[in-house]
Amino acid sequence: MECTIRLAQSADCDCLMAMIREIAKYHNLLDEVKINAQVLRADGFGREPFFRCLVAELPPGQGDKQGHLIGYALFFFGYSVNTGRIIYVENLYVESEFRGRGIGRQLMSEVAKVALARGCTEMKFSVAEWNAQALAWYRRLGAQDKTETAGWHALELEDEALHRLAGDTGQGAGCSATPSLAEGADGDTGPRGSRLEAATGSGQG
């Protein structure tokens, strides 16, 4: 199917938020969505964006749906001490009526182009264990399930644990942290602790 893949703009955030809620609903995680369109604008389109996003848009000639967003891929950059630059796909989604037409693959292909242009050597993402259809789709793209082959576990520190750790004085340790460490956190490579499995796998094309 013909569609236009372009960089998301701040004006797209209301539509993006609606699709984020749809994918969370599919994963029974709607109550875990704590952000809104305003947060998306601040985090993705400010001076130092925490994420990047590509959108799939219907081209001219589509009647009342001309310019309608029908899918997106949200991603951010990270770093591996083994391989260097990497890219994380946090969300991949295509509206249900447009699935099966290759749009999801187009979006992933464009993210891959961005990754290679930025010197990334790996693309990472997570899929819910129960989502066999999505797992099969990603495997057809050439993805490897590292949970099976490498035996790694994906861990998270959420609100309470994160605050508790940040307040840990490290009793017995002989080190001290300078105040500038926290102040300069905005210059890091990307957001931490993202819930990847809530994002990928329901909108494959």
Side-chain angles (χ1 to χ4, degrees):
M1 176 185 176
E2 182 184 357
C3 69
T4 299
I5 307 294
R6 62 168 174 81
L7 284 172
Q9 302 170 0
S10 178
D12 297 321
C13 286
D14 287 332
C15 291
L16 285 172
M17 197 65 231
M19 290 190 285
I20 286 171
R21 292 181 66 83
E22 281 297 316
I23 201 169
K25 182 179 179 181
Y26 177 82
H27 284 83
N28 296 314
L29 293 169
L30 191 56
D31 61 336
E32 296 191 17
V33 178
K34 308 300 183 185
I35 65 169
N36 54 36
Q38 184 177 357
V39 173
L40 276 181
R41 289 188 186 95
D43 289 347
F45 302 93
R47 185 171 58 89
E48 293 181 341
F50 266 68
F51 68 85
R52 304 292 194 278
C53 187
L54 297 174
V55 295
E57 182 179 55
L58 289 180
Q62 299 295 319
D64 60 348
K65 288 201 171 184
Q66 178 175 324
H68 176 68
L69 298 188
I70 58 175
Y72 73 101
L74 189 149
F75 56 93
F76 57 91
F77 299 100
Y79 199 81
S80 166
V81 294
N82 295 324
T83 60
R85 299 180 182 186
I86 55 181
I87 195 167
Y88 286 85
V89 179
E90 168 73 359
N91 272 100
L92 174 67
Y93 179 78
V94 176
E95 288 190 352
S96 58
E97 65 178 292
F98 298 101
R99 293 174 193 165
R101 307 186 191 187
I103 297 170
R105 188 182 184 97
Q106 276 185 268
L107 284 164
M108 289 292 280
S109 176
E110 292 302 320
V111 174
K113 291 175 185 177
V114 171
L116 293 174
R118 292 291 298 271
C120 298
T121 59
E122 297 178 2
M123 179 189 291
K124 293 180 177 289
F125 46 88
S126 297
V127 181
E129 186 177 17
W130 54 263
N131 200 340
Q133 183 179 3
L135 282 168
W137 187 80
Y138 285 114
R139 285 182 174 127
R140 288 197 296 273
L141 295 184
Q144 301 177 43
D145 188 344
K146 292 296 186 178
T147 307
E148 296 178 356
T149 61
W152 290 91
H153 289 272
L155 304 179
E156 296 181 359
L157 284 170
E158 297 187 343
D159 284 347
E160 184 179 343
L162 187 62
H163 282 88
R164 187 168 61 247
L165 180 60
D168 191 344
T169 59
Q171 294 181 3
C175 302
S176 61
T178 62
S180 61
L181 289 178
E183 293 170 1
D186 283 345
D188 285 348
T189 56
R192 303 296 194 267
S194 300
R195 180 171 290 280
L196 300 181
E197 74 276 10
T200 55
S202 71
Q204 64 272 14

